[in-house]
């Protein structure tokens, strides 16, 4: 199966590279042809060509930053974090293959283990418009605690 992927973290130095390498190695081991674009502070490396995008059966976006999805409108998409690609690339690839074999253009957003409290799964229209909140629970932050203390 032909897969493409994008990895992106805020600095794009270490974690994006580790995620890309893990996706490539795992994809090859599982018998899939995979090309990975790395996005970071210095721009894109190994940028996906129009031909690679057109031939792809599915895309994996493992990113902790916003990634423009305009190029991938007609491709089944698996969305996850960079940590997911570093720790469990095999699950991401399996999910992408299942999505591609289902013959639907769909977006699947995988949740990390530390997000178990959110049992509501958004519908397709909601998930494409929602942005995942980074940084934990805002009610537990320093400013929220100071506000409660001073009120």
């Amino acid at each position: 199966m032909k897969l493409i992927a994008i990895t992106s973290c805020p600095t794009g130095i270490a974690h994006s590279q580790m995620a890309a390498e893990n996706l490539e190695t795992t994809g090859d081991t599982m018998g899939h042809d995979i090309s990975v674009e790395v996005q970071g502070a210095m721009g894109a490396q190994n940028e996906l060509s129009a031909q690679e995008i057109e031939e792809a059966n599915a895309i994996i976006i493992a990113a902790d930053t916003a990634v423009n999805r305009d190029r991938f409108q007609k491709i089944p998409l698996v969305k996850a974090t960079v940590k997911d690609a570093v720790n469990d690339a095999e699950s991401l690839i399996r999910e992408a293959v299942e999505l591609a074999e289902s013959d639907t253009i769909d977006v699947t957003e995988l949740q990390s283990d530390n997000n178990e409290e959110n049992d509501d799964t958004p519908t397709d229209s909601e998930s494409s418009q929602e942005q995942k909140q980074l940084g934990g629970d805002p009610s537990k932050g320093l400013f929220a605690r100071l506000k409660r203390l001073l009120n």
Side-chain angles (χ1 to χ4, degrees), residues 31-68:
H32 301 293
D33 182 16
I34 186 165
S35 300
V36 183
E37 176 180 309
V38 179
Q39 295 181 0
M42 302 303 283
Q45 296 176 339
N46 302 330
E47 194 167 344
L48 297 169
S49 69
Q51 182 177 352
E52 287 175 311
I53 295 169
E54 185 178 319
E55 293 173 352
N57 298 104
I59 180 168
I60 299 168
I61 297 180
D64 296 333
T65 61
V67 172
N68 186 346

Side-chain angles (χ1 to χ4, degrees), residues 111-151:
Q111 306 260 331
S112 294
D113 295 349
N114 56 0
N115 245 354
E116 291 177 19
E117 63 210 34
N118 186 7
D119 289 334
D120 299 24
T121 53
T123 62
D124 292 339
S125 62
E126 291 172 342
S127 67
S128 64
Q129 294 176 355
E130 278 186 21
Q131 291 292 324
K132 183 177 174 184
Q133 177 183 339
L134 299 177
D137 185 359
S139 67
K140 295 179 182 175
L142 176 64
F143 290 113
R145 290 185 295 182
L146 285 172
K147 185 176 179 181
R148 285 193 300 268
L149 179 68
L150 297 174
N151 285 336

Side-chain angles (χ1 to χ4, degrees), residues 7 18-20 22-23 60 62 80-89 92:
T7 62
M18 291 185 335
N22 199 20
L23 285 167
I60 299 168
T81 64
V82 171
K83 179 181 176 184
D84 294 331
V86 170
N87 293 334
D88 194 10
L92 295 180

Side-chain angles (χ1 to χ4, degrees), residues 21-34 90 93-94:
E21 185 176 326
N22 199 20
L23 285 167
E24 288 172 345
T25 304
T26 305
D28 288 343
T29 302
M30 295 173 73
H32 301 293
D33 182 16
I34 186 165
E90 187 174 334
I93 292 170
R94 281 197 177 126

